[in-house]
Amino acid sequence: PCDASSIGSRPAHTFRSGSVYRGQWQGNSRHGQGEQVWPDGARFVGNWDHNVVHGLGCFEDKDGGMFVGQWRNNQACGFGMYRDTKGLTYRGGWEADLRSGDGVEEWEGGDTYCGQFVKGRKEGHGVFVWADGTAYMGQWSADHMCGYGLYESSDDRTFRGMWKDSAFHGCGEHTWEDGRVYRGQYEHDLRAGFGAFIQPDGRSQQGFWQQGKLLTKEVM
């Protein structure tokens, strides 16, 4: 019979599912430090609490992705780092196996996002910097630039204004390196509604736009 109060290591145990556990037990429960390997090759090494992954641990999935961090009730919860096989690394908060709170995503090619997450998606305020130096600083919703934001491209174009589904949408100001400026409304990245286009020499055309084209204009 097993002592229900003592914690100690035992020989490897194979479950009916084919999973193999090596580590500490308390009574008939995996409890303490242990390693479990599943038939598909997934592997967890870390802390167990009465058959539940709870505390610090490292999980490697069958495809080679790896999570190292805090766990609660068999789910990533707290601070942790995840790396997949395609070059993506995430460091930050987790809740119920999903990115949550503040975190940083980095891609192998050099792109970086630093900001907020909700239920695994970029949500709230965040800064995305592309490898070429282009940057967006502003609001996000469901992994898209959405709300107010500042966009600065590597070719010195700048947009300050409203976004929807990662496109200019609403009121904003778009400036070019040569001094051209558009101030007005956009729909899905195209000028739409009232706006003014100002040339570097100060001349401007203002009026109503549709699908990027000026319909009625007043030259000033």
Side-chain angles (χ1 to χ4, degrees):
C2 298
D3 185 343
S5 62
S6 65
I7 300 173
S9 299
R10 301 177 198 162
H13 177 80
T14 302
F15 296 92
R16 291 180 182 177
S17 64
S19 300
V20 178
Y21 175 80
R22 298 175 177 85
Q24 295 179 308
W25 297 76
Q26 185 179 52
N28 292 321
S29 298
R30 289 162 288 178
H31 192 80
Q33 292 296 307
E35 173 192 50
Q36 182 157 317
V37 180
W38 283 262
D40 65 0
R43 175 174 172 263
F44 175 82
V45 179
N47 197 67
W48 297 75
D49 187 350
H50 296 98
N51 288 328
V52 173
V53 173
H54 196 92
L56 294 177
C58 173
F59 178 76
E60 185 173 357
D61 63 35
K62 61 183 179 63
D63 299 316
M66 181 180 292
F67 173 82
V68 180
Q70 297 172 309
W71 295 78
R72 185 170 65 202
N73 297 327
N74 286 333
Q75 295 180 322
C77 191
F79 182 83
M81 187 274 286
Y82 174 76
R83 184 183 69 242
D84 69 13
T85 57
K86 299 178 182 178
L88 169 66
T89 300
Y90 171 80
R91 298 177 180 86
W94 293 79
E95 183 71 33
D97 276 341
L98 298 173
R99 298 170 179 88
S100 183
D102 296 327
V104 177
E105 281 185 339
E106 297 177 307
W107 286 262
E108 195 172 60
D111 296 347
T112 302
Y113 171 81
C114 179
Q116 297 172 313
F117 291 82
V118 176
K119 295 183 179 179
R121 293 183 173 185
K122 299 175 185 70
E123 189 89 26
H125 186 80
V127 177
F128 195 106
V129 181
W130 284 263
D132 67 356
T134 297
Y136 170 83
M137 294 156 278
Q139 295 172 304
W140 294 75
S141 179
D143 277 338
H144 291 287
M145 295 176 279
C146 193
Y148 182 81
L150 168 63
Y151 176 85
E152 297 177 332
S153 73
S154 59
D155 59 2
D156 293 326
R157 289 181 296 112
T158 300
F159 178 80
R160 293 178 176 85
M162 301 304 294
W163 295 72
K164 182 180 179 181
D165 295 333
S166 297
F168 305 160
H169 195 86
C171 293
E173 179 184 84
H174 194 170
T175 64
W176 285 261
E177 182 185 13
D178 61 6
R180 289 174 296 156
V181 179
Y182 172 80
R183 297 186 182 101
Q185 295 172 301
Y186 278 89
E187 286 186 6
H188 309 296
D189 267 347
L190 297 175
R191 297 168 199 144
F194 187 79
F197 192 91
I198 305 167
Q199 298 289 346
D201 61 7
R203 290 180 297 117
S204 69
Q205 293 178 316
Q206 64 181 25
F208 287 91
W209 301 70
Q210 187 176 58
Q211 295 184 339
K213 296 180 179 179
L214 185 59
L215 299 180
T216 62
K217 65 181 179 180
E218 179 181 341
V219 179
M220 301 180 67

